[in-house]
PDB file of all heavy atoms in Angstrom:
ATOM      1  N   ALA J   1     100.397  58.112 115.935  1.00  0.00           N
ATOM      2  CA  ALA J   1      99.549  59.287 116.157  1.00  0.00           C
ATOM      3  C   ALA J   1     100.227  60.553 115.639  1.00  0.00           C
ATOM      4  O   ALA J   1      99.587  61.412 115.017  1.00  0.00           O
ATOM      5  CB  ALA J   1      99.216  59.431 117.639  1.00  0.00           C
ATOM      6  N   LEU J   2     101.531  60.685 115.893  1.00  0.00           N
ATOM      7  CA  LEU J   2     102.255  61.855 115.399  1.00  0.00           C
ATOM      8  C   LEU J   2     102.331  61.826 113.881  1.00  0.00           C
ATOM      9  O   LEU J   2     102.154  62.858 113.219  1.00  0.00           O
ATOM     10  CB  LEU J   2     103.655  61.899 116.004  1.00  0.00           C
ATOM     11  CG  LEU J   2     104.518  63.096 115.580  1.00  0.00           C
ATOM     12  CD1 LEU J   2     103.894  64.408 116.043  1.00  0.00           C
ATOM     13  CD2 LEU J   2     105.939  62.950 116.124  1.00  0.00           C
ATOM     14  N   ALA J   3     102.585  60.661 113.302  1.00  0.00           N
ATOM     15  CA  ALA J   3     102.671  60.552 111.848  1.00  0.00           C
ATOM     16  C   ALA J   3     101.338  60.872 111.192  1.00  0.00           C
ATOM     17  O   ALA J   3     101.292  61.532 110.142  1.00  0.00           O
ATOM     18  CB  ALA J   3     103.139  59.159 111.457  1.00  0.00           C
ATOM     19  N   ALA J   4     100.224  60.417 111.784  1.00  0.00           N
ATOM     20  CA  ALA J   4      98.905  60.724 111.226  1.00  0.00           C
ATOM     21  C   ALA J   4      98.650  62.227 111.233  1.00  0.00           C
ATOM     22  O   ALA J   4      98.133  62.802 110.261  1.00  0.00           O
ATOM     23  CB  ALA J   4      97.819  59.993 112.006  1.00  0.00           C
ATOM     24  N   ASP J   5      99.026  62.881 112.328  1.00  0.00           N
ATOM     25  CA  ASP J   5      98.907  64.331 112.387  1.00  0.00           C
ATOM     26  C   ASP J   5      99.839  64.977 111.366  1.00  0.00           C
ATOM     27  O   ASP J   5      99.516  66.018 110.783  1.00  0.00           O
ATOM     28  CB  ASP J   5      99.237  64.827 113.793  1.00  0.00           C
ATOM     29  CG  ASP J   5      99.017  66.318 113.960  1.00  0.00           C
ATOM     30  OD1 ASP J   5      97.852  66.749 114.036  1.00  0.00           O
ATOM     31  OD2 ASP J   5     100.017  67.064 113.997  1.00  0.00           O
ATOM     32  N   GLY J   6     100.989  64.338 111.133  1.00  0.00           N
ATOM     33  CA  GLY J   6     101.914  64.841 110.131  1.00  0.00           C
ATOM     34  C   GLY J   6     101.349  64.768 108.730  1.00  0.00           C
ATOM     35  O   GLY J   6     101.560  65.673 107.912  1.00  0.00           O
ATOM     36  N   VAL J   7     100.620  63.694 108.419  1.00  0.00           N
ATOM     37  CA  VAL J   7      99.957  63.597 107.108  1.00  0.00           C
ATOM     38  C   VAL J   7      98.966  64.744 106.950  1.00  0.00           C
ATOM     39  O   VAL J   7      98.915  65.416 105.912  1.00  0.00           O
ATOM     40  CB  VAL J   7      99.260  62.234 106.945  1.00  0.00           C
ATOM     41  CG1 VAL J   7      98.444  62.199 105.650  1.00  0.00           C
ATOM     42  CG2 VAL J   7     100.284  61.097 106.959  1.00  0.00           C
ATOM     43  N   ALA J   8      98.173  64.991 108.002  1.00  0.00           N
ATOM     44  CA  ALA J   8      97.188  66.079 107.945  1.00  0.00           C
ATOM     45  C   ALA J   8      97.879  67.425 107.759  1.00  0.00           C
ATOM     46  O   ALA J   8      97.444  68.254 106.936  1.00  0.00           O
ATOM     47  CB  ALA J   8      96.351  66.085 109.223  1.00  0.00           C
ATOM     48  N   GLU J   9      98.946  67.666 108.504  1.00  0.00           N
ATOM     49  CA  GLU J   9      99.638  68.952 108.402  1.00  0.00           C
ATOM     50  C   GLU J   9     100.281  69.126 107.033  1.00  0.00           C
ATOM     51  O   GLU J   9     100.242  70.204 106.437  1.00  0.00           O
ATOM     52  CB  GLU J   9     100.699  69.064 109.497  1.00  0.00           C
ATOM     53  CG  GLU J   9     101.207  70.489 109.691  1.00  0.00           C
ATOM     54  CD  GLU J   9     102.712  70.637 109.649  1.00  0.00           C
ATOM     55  OE1 GLU J   9     103.393  69.762 109.067  1.00  0.00           O
ATOM     56  OE2 GLU J   9     103.209  71.636 110.179  1.00  0.00           O
ATOM     57  N   THR J  10     100.872  68.055 106.516  1.00  0.00           N
ATOM     58  CA  THR J  10     101.532  68.145 105.214  1.00  0.00           C
ATOM     59  C   THR J  10     100.533  68.457 104.113  1.00  0.00           C
ATOM     60  O   THR J  10     100.767  69.321 103.250  1.00  0.00           O
ATOM     61  CB  THR J  10     102.264  66.830 104.909  1.00  0.00           C
ATOM     62  OG1 THR J  10     103.159  66.526 105.977  1.00  0.00           O
ATOM     63  CG2 THR J  10     103.058  66.943 103.617  1.00  0.00           C
ATOM     64  N   LEU J  11      99.383  67.764 104.120  1.00  0.00           N
ATOM     65  CA  LEU J  11      98.374  67.999 103.091  1.00  0.00           C
ATOM     66  C   LEU J  11      97.729  69.371 103.227  1.00  0.00           C
ATOM     67  O   LEU J  11      97.414  70.026 102.225  1.00  0.00           O
ATOM     68  CB  LEU J  11      97.301  66.902 103.159  1.00  0.00           C
ATOM     69  CG  LEU J  11      97.776  65.491 102.803  1.00  0.00           C
ATOM     70  CD1 LEU J  11      96.652  64.481 103.082  1.00  0.00           C
ATOM     71  CD2 LEU J  11      98.210  65.402 101.339  1.00  0.00           C
ATOM     72  N   ASP J  12      97.544  69.823 104.461  1.00  0.00           N
ATOM     73  CA  ASP J  12      96.825  71.077 104.697  1.00  0.00           C
ATOM     74  C   ASP J  12      97.719  72.302 104.589  1.00  0.00           C
ATOM     75  O   ASP J  12      97.342  73.305 103.975  1.00  0.00           O
ATOM     76  CB  ASP J  12      96.190  71.031 106.091  1.00  0.00           C
ATOM     77  CG  ASP J  12      95.247  72.202 106.341  1.00  0.00           C
ATOM     78  OD1 ASP J  12      94.625  72.690 105.375  1.00  0.00           O
ATOM     79  OD2 ASP J  12      95.118  72.619 107.500  1.00  0.00           O
ATOM     80  N   VAL J  13      98.919  72.229 105.170  1.00  0.00           N
ATOM     81  CA  VAL J  13      99.785  73.414 105.266  1.00  0.00           C
ATOM     82  C   VAL J  13     100.854  73.430 104.183  1.00  0.00           C
ATOM     83  O   VAL J  13     101.006  74.416 103.460  1.00  0.00           O
ATOM     84  CB  VAL J  13     100.444  73.481 106.664  1.00  0.00           C
ATOM     85  CG1 VAL J  13     101.405  74.665 106.744  1.00  0.00           C
ATOM     86  CG2 VAL J  13      99.386  73.576 107.751  1.00  0.00           C
ATOM     87  N   MET J  14     101.595  72.321 104.062  1.00  0.00           N
ATOM     88  CA  MET J  14     102.752  72.328 103.171  1.00  0.00           C
ATOM     89  C   MET J  14     102.343  72.256 101.699  1.00  0.00           C
ATOM     90  O   MET J  14     102.973  72.889 100.845  1.00  0.00           O
ATOM     91  CB  MET J  14     103.691  71.169 103.523  1.00  0.00           C
ATOM     92  CG  MET J  14     104.067  71.108 105.002  1.00  0.00           C
ATOM     93  SD  MET J  14     104.701  72.672 105.705  1.00  0.00           S
ATOM     94  CE  MET J  14     106.262  72.818 104.857  1.00  0.00           C
ATOM     95  N   TYR J  15     101.320  71.468 101.390  1.00  0.00           N
ATOM     96  CA  TYR J  15     100.835  71.386 100.005  1.00  0.00           C
ATOM     97  C   TYR J  15      99.568  72.196  99.774  1.00  0.00           C
ATOM     98  O   TYR J  15      99.315  72.660  98.666  1.00  0.00           O
ATOM     99  CB  TYR J  15     100.572  69.924  99.613  1.00  0.00           C
ATOM    100  CG  TYR J  15     101.823  69.126  99.359  1.00  0.00           C
ATOM    101  CD1 TYR J  15     102.188  68.076 100.202  1.00  0.00           C
ATOM    102  CD2 TYR J  15     102.650  69.410  98.274  1.00  0.00           C
ATOM    103  CE1 TYR J  15     103.331  67.329  99.968  1.00  0.00           C
ATOM    104  CE2 TYR J  15     103.797  68.665  98.031  1.00  0.00           C
ATOM    105  CZ  TYR J  15     104.126  67.626  98.880  1.00  0.00           C
ATOM    106  OH  TYR J  15     105.267  66.892  98.647  1.00  0.00           O
ATOM    107  N   GLY J  16      98.752  72.347 100.796  1.00  0.00           N
ATOM    108  CA  GLY J  16      97.439  72.960 100.611  1.00  0.00           C
ATOM    109  C   GLY J  16      97.344  74.423 100.978  1.00  0.00           C
ATOM    110  O   GLY J  16      96.257  75.003 100.924  1.00  0.00           O
ATOM    111  N   GLY J  17      98.453  75.032 101.360  1.00  0.00           N
ATOM    112  CA  GLY J  17      98.409  76.448 101.710  1.00  0.00           C
ATOM    113  C   GLY J  17      98.023  77.303 100.507  1.00  0.00           C
ATOM    114  O   GLY J  17      98.484  77.063  99.386  1.00  0.00           O
ATOM    115  N   LEU J  18      97.181  78.288 100.734  1.00  0.00           N
ATOM    116  CA  LEU J  18      96.703  79.153  99.654  1.00  0.00           C
ATOM    117  C   LEU J  18      97.141  80.586  99.924  1.00  0.00           C
ATOM    118  O   LEU J  18      96.659  81.220 100.864  1.00  0.00           O
ATOM    119  CB  LEU J  18      95.172  79.083  99.554  1.00  0.00           C
ATOM    120  CG  LEU J  18      94.530  79.836  98.391  1.00  0.00           C
ATOM    121  CD1 LEU J  18      94.968  79.248  97.056  1.00  0.00           C
ATOM    122  CD2 LEU J  18      92.999  79.797  98.513  1.00  0.00           C
ATOM    123  N   PRO J  19      98.068  81.132  99.125  1.00  0.00           N
ATOM    124  CA  PRO J  19      98.505  82.512  99.349  1.00  0.00           C
ATOM    125  C   PRO J  19      97.377  83.492  99.052  1.00  0.00           C
ATOM    126  O   PRO J  19      96.463  83.187  98.267  1.00  0.00           O
ATOM    127  CB  PRO J  19      99.660  82.681  98.360  1.00  0.00           C
ATOM    128  CG  PRO J  19      99.390  81.682  97.278  1.00  0.00           C
ATOM    129  CD  PRO J  19      98.737  80.510  97.965  1.00  0.00           C
ATOM    130  N   PRO J  20      97.410  84.676  99.660  1.00  0.00           N
ATOM    131  CA  PRO J  20      96.311  85.630  99.475  1.00  0.00           C
ATOM    132  C   PRO J  20      96.141  86.104  98.040  1.00  0.00           C
ATOM    133  O   PRO J  20      95.069  86.573  97.671  1.00  0.00           O
ATOM    134  CB  PRO J  20      96.697  86.790 100.411  1.00  0.00           C
ATOM    135  CG  PRO J  20      98.166  86.634 100.658  1.00  0.00           C
ATOM    136  CD  PRO J  20      98.439  85.175 100.600  1.00  0.00           C
ATOM    137  N   TRP J  21      97.176  85.956  97.226  1.00  0.00           N
ATOM    138  CA  TRP J  21      97.078  86.403  95.835  1.00  0.00           C
ATOM    139  C   TRP J  21      96.608  85.297  94.886  1.00  0.00           C
ATOM    140  O   TRP J  21      96.475  85.517  93.681  1.00  0.00           O
ATOM    141  CB  TRP J  21      98.445  86.929  95.350  1.00  0.00           C
ATOM    142  CG  TRP J  21      99.591  86.003  95.610  1.00  0.00           C
ATOM    143  CD1 TRP J  21     100.423  86.008  96.684  1.00  0.00           C
ATOM    144  CD2 TRP J  21     100.035  84.921  94.773  1.00  0.00           C
ATOM    145  NE1 TRP J  21     101.358  84.996  96.585  1.00  0.00           N
ATOM    146  CE2 TRP J  21     101.147  84.324  95.416  1.00  0.00           C
ATOM    147  CE3 TRP J  21      99.606  84.402  93.551  1.00  0.00           C
ATOM    148  CZ2 TRP J  21     101.827  83.235  94.876  1.00  0.00           C
ATOM    149  CZ3 TRP J  21     100.280  83.316  93.009  1.00  0.00           C
ATOM    150  CH2 TRP J  21     101.369  82.749  93.670  1.00  0.00           C
ATOM    151  N   GLY J  22      96.336  84.110  95.433  1.00  0.00           N
ATOM    152  CA  GLY J  22      95.948  82.979  94.596  1.00  0.00           C
ATOM    153  C   GLY J  22      94.497  82.571  94.781  1.00  0.00           C
ATOM    154  O   GLY J  22      93.814  82.998  95.711  1.00  0.00           O
ATOM    155  N   ARG J  23      94.033  81.696  93.893  1.00  0.00           N
ATOM    156  CA  ARG J  23      92.652  81.207  93.933  1.00  0.00           C
ATOM    157  C   ARG J  23      92.660  79.700  93.676  1.00  0.00           C
ATOM    158  O   ARG J  23      93.328  79.207  92.769  1.00  0.00           O
ATOM    159  CB  ARG J  23      91.839  81.903  92.835  1.00  0.00           C
ATOM    160  CG  ARG J  23      90.345  81.520  92.828  1.00  0.00           C
ATOM    161  CD  ARG J  23      89.596  82.184  91.678  1.00  0.00           C
ATOM    162  NE  ARG J  23      89.888  81.556  90.394  1.00  0.00           N
ATOM    163  CZ  ARG J  23      90.573  82.119  89.405  1.00  0.00           C
ATOM    164  NH1 ARG J  23      91.085  83.340  89.563  1.00  0.00           N
ATOM    165  NH2 ARG J  23      90.794  81.480  88.267  1.00  0.00           N
ATOM    166  N   PHE J  24      91.915  78.980  94.496  1.00  0.00           N
ATOM    167  CA  PHE J  24      91.738  77.541  94.299  1.00  0.00           C
ATOM    168  C   PHE J  24      90.373  77.298  93.702  1.00  0.00           C
ATOM    169  O   PHE J  24      89.351  77.716  94.260  1.00  0.00           O
ATOM    170  CB  PHE J  24      91.868  76.801  95.636  1.00  0.00           C
ATOM    171  CG  PHE J  24      91.596  75.313  95.539  1.00  0.00           C
ATOM    172  CD1 PHE J  24      92.396  74.494  94.765  1.00  0.00           C
ATOM    173  CD2 PHE J  24      90.527  74.746  96.228  1.00  0.00           C
ATOM    174  CE1 PHE J  24      92.151  73.129  94.671  1.00  0.00           C
ATOM    175  CE2 PHE J  24      90.276  73.375  96.157  1.00  0.00           C
ATOM    176  CZ  PHE J  24      91.091  72.567  95.371  1.00  0.00           C
ATOM    177  N   ASP J  25      90.321  76.635  92.557  1.00  0.00           N
ATOM    178  CA  ASP J  25      89.064  76.291  91.896  1.00  0.00           C
ATOM    179  C   ASP J  25      88.868  74.783  92.004  1.00  0.00           C
ATOM    180  O   ASP J  25      89.499  73.995  91.273  1.00  0.00           O
ATOM    181  CB  ASP J  25      89.093  76.712  90.422  1.00  0.00           C
ATOM    182  CG  ASP J  25      89.175  78.225  90.256  1.00  0.00           C
ATOM    183  OD1 ASP J  25      88.391  78.917  90.925  1.00  0.00           O
ATOM    184  OD2 ASP J  25      90.006  78.703  89.470  1.00  0.00           O
ATOM    185  N   PRO J  26      87.998  74.334  92.932  1.00  0.00           N
ATOM    186  CA  PRO J  26      87.828  72.898  93.147  1.00  0.00           C
ATOM    187  C   PRO J  26      86.975  72.243  92.064  1.00  0.00           C
ATOM    188  O   PRO J  26      86.163  72.895  91.402  1.00  0.00           O
ATOM    189  CB  PRO J  26      87.111  72.837  94.499  1.00  0.00           C
ATOM    190  CG  PRO J  26      86.334  74.120  94.560  1.00  0.00           C
ATOM    191  CD  PRO J  26      87.174  75.141  93.850  1.00  0.00           C
ATOM    192  N   VAL J  27      87.205  70.948  91.894  1.00  0.00           N
ATOM    193  CA  VAL J  27      86.353  70.118  91.040  1.00  0.00           C
ATOM    194  C   VAL J  27      85.826  68.984  91.911  1.00  0.00           C
ATOM    195  O   VAL J  27      86.407  68.669  92.945  1.00  0.00           O
ATOM    196  CB  VAL J  27      87.131  69.569  89.829  1.00  0.00           C
ATOM    197  CG1 VAL J  27      87.620  70.707  88.930  1.00  0.00           C
ATOM    198  CG2 VAL J  27      88.305  68.693  90.262  1.00  0.00           C
ATOM    199  N   PRO J  28      84.707  68.352  91.537  1.00  0.00           N
ATOM    200  CA  PRO J  28      84.107  67.313  92.394  1.00  0.00           C
ATOM    201  C   PRO J  28      84.817  65.965  92.272  1.00  0.00           C
ATOM    202  O   PRO J  28      84.251  64.952  91.882  1.00  0.00           O
ATOM    203  CB  PRO J  28      82.664  67.242  91.886  1.00  0.00           C
ATOM    204  CG  PRO J  28      82.758  67.642  90.450  1.00  0.00           C
ATOM    205  CD  PRO J  28      83.841  68.678  90.378  1.00  0.00           C
ATOM    206  N   ARG J  29      86.109  65.963  92.625  1.00  0.00           N
ATOM    207  CA  ARG J  29      86.906  64.738  92.617  1.00  0.00           C
ATOM    208  C   ARG J  29      87.724  64.705  93.910  1.00  0.00           C
ATOM    209  O   ARG J  29      88.269  65.738  94.335  1.00  0.00           O
ATOM    210  CB  ARG J  29      87.831  64.677  91.398  1.00  0.00           C
ATOM    211  CG  ARG J  29      87.107  64.861  90.080  1.00  0.00           C
ATOM    212  CD  ARG J  29      88.055  64.647  88.911  1.00  0.00           C
ATOM    213  NE  ARG J  29      88.288  63.231  88.662  1.00  0.00           N
ATOM    214  CZ  ARG J  29      89.313  62.758  87.953  1.00  0.00           C
ATOM    215  NH1 ARG J  29      90.229  63.588  87.497  1.00  0.00           N
ATOM    216  NH2 ARG J  29      89.438  61.468  87.741  1.00  0.00           N
ATOM    217  N   TYR J  30      87.820  63.511  94.509  1.00  0.00           N
ATOM    218  CA  TYR J  30      88.406  63.405  95.849  1.00  0.00           C
ATOM    219  C   TYR J  30      89.394  62.243  95.941  1.00  0.00           C
ATOM    220  O   TYR J  30      89.196  61.189  95.313  1.00  0.00           O
ATOM    221  CB  TYR J  30      87.301  63.199  96.888  1.00  0.00           C
ATOM    222  CG  TYR J  30      86.319  64.340  96.952  1.00  0.00           C
ATOM    223  CD1 TYR J  30      85.180  64.352  96.151  1.00  0.00           C
ATOM    224  CD2 TYR J  30      86.528  65.422  97.804  1.00  0.00           C
ATOM    225  CE1 TYR J  30      84.274  65.410  96.194  1.00  0.00           C
ATOM    226  CE2 TYR J  30      85.634  66.479  97.863  1.00  0.00           C
ATOM    227  CZ  TYR J  30      84.510  66.463  97.052  1.00  0.00           C
ATOM    228  OH  TYR J  30      83.630  67.512  97.108  1.00  0.00           O
ATOM    229  N   LEU J  31      90.416  62.456  96.759  1.00  0.00           N
ATOM    230  CA  LEU J  31      91.345  61.393  97.130  1.00  0.00           C
ATOM    231  C   LEU J  31      91.197  61.121  98.617  1.00  0.00           C
ATOM    232  O   LEU J  31      91.130  62.057  99.418  1.00  0.00           O
ATOM    233  CB  LEU J  31      92.790  61.817  96.855  1.00  0.00           C
ATOM    234  CG  LEU J  31      93.514  61.050  95.747  1.00  0.00           C
ATOM    235  CD1 LEU J  31      92.953  61.484  94.402  1.00  0.00           C
ATOM    236  CD2 LEU J  31      95.005  61.283  95.819  1.00  0.00           C
ATOM    237  N   GLU J  32      91.182  59.851  98.958  1.00  0.00           N
ATOM    238  CA  GLU J  32      91.180  59.441 100.361  1.00  0.00           C
ATOM    239  C   GLU J  32      92.561  58.886 100.705  1.00  0.00           C
ATOM    240  O   GLU J  32      93.080  58.023  99.991  1.00  0.00           O
ATOM    241  CB  GLU J  32      90.115  58.371 100.613  1.00  0.00           C
ATOM    242  CG  GLU J  32      90.105  57.842 102.042  1.00  0.00           C
ATOM    243  CD  GLU J  32      89.172  56.646 102.224  1.00  0.00           C
ATOM    244  OE1 GLU J  32      88.499  56.257 101.245  1.00  0.00           O
ATOM    245  OE2 GLU J  32      89.151  56.096 103.337  1.00  0.00           O
ATOM    246  N   PHE J  33      93.140  59.388 101.794  1.00  0.00           N
ATOM    247  CA  PHE J  33      94.376  58.832 102.328  1.00  0.00           C
ATOM    248  C   PHE J  33      93.991  57.993 103.537  1.00  0.00           C
ATOM    249  O   PHE J  33      93.633  58.537 104.588  1.00  0.00           O
ATOM    250  CB  PHE J  33      95.355  59.945 102.700  1.00  0.00           C
ATOM    251  CG  PHE J  33      95.906  60.690 101.513  1.00  0.00           C
ATOM    252  CD1 PHE J  33      95.177  61.711 100.920  1.00  0.00           C
ATOM    253  CD2 PHE J  33      97.137  60.349 100.974  1.00  0.00           C
ATOM    254  CE1 PHE J  33      95.676  62.403  99.817  1.00  0.00           C
ATOM    255  CE2 PHE J  33      97.642  61.028  99.876  1.00  0.00           C
ATOM    256  CZ  PHE J  33      96.916  62.059  99.293  1.00  0.00           C
ATOM    257  N   ARG J  34      94.029  56.684 103.391  1.00  0.00           N
ATOM    258  CA  ARG J  34      93.562  55.763 104.430  1.00  0.00           C
ATOM    259  C   ARG J  34      94.767  55.302 105.257  1.00  0.00           C
ATOM    260  O   ARG J  34      95.634  54.582 104.760  1.00  0.00           O
ATOM    261  CB  ARG J  34      92.850  54.582 103.779  1.00  0.00           C
ATOM    262  CG  ARG J  34      92.080  53.684 104.724  1.00  0.00           C
ATOM    263  CD  ARG J  34      91.275  52.658 103.936  1.00  0.00           C
ATOM    264  NE  ARG J  34      90.222  53.274 103.129  1.00  0.00           N
ATOM    265  CZ  ARG J  34      89.580  52.663 102.134  1.00  0.00           C
ATOM    266  NH1 ARG J  34      89.882  51.399 101.818  1.00  0.00           N
ATOM    267  NH2 ARG J  34      88.630  53.298 101.463  1.00  0.00           N
ATOM    268  N   LEU J  35      94.808  55.700 106.540  1.00  0.00           N
ATOM    269  CA  LEU J  35      95.945  55.417 107.411  1.00  0.00           C
ATOM    270  C   LEU J  35      95.612  54.190 108.258  1.00  0.00           C
ATOM    271  O   LEU J  35      94.864  54.273 109.236  1.00  0.00           O
ATOM    272  CB  LEU J  35      96.239  56.635 108.294  1.00  0.00           C
ATOM    273  CG  LEU J  35      96.312  57.986 107.557  1.00  0.00           C
ATOM    274  CD1 LEU J  35      96.636  59.110 108.532  1.00  0.00           C
ATOM    275  CD2 LEU J  35      97.316  57.948 106.422  1.00  0.00           C
TER     276      LEU J  35
END
């Protein structure tokens, strides 16, 4: 349970953080991380 939350935090905060001076331009492509 802690590791699953860790995957979410790592993807969202550590890799997915967006600084106020930056812009994310998404494309319609997705990855699923299946735990």
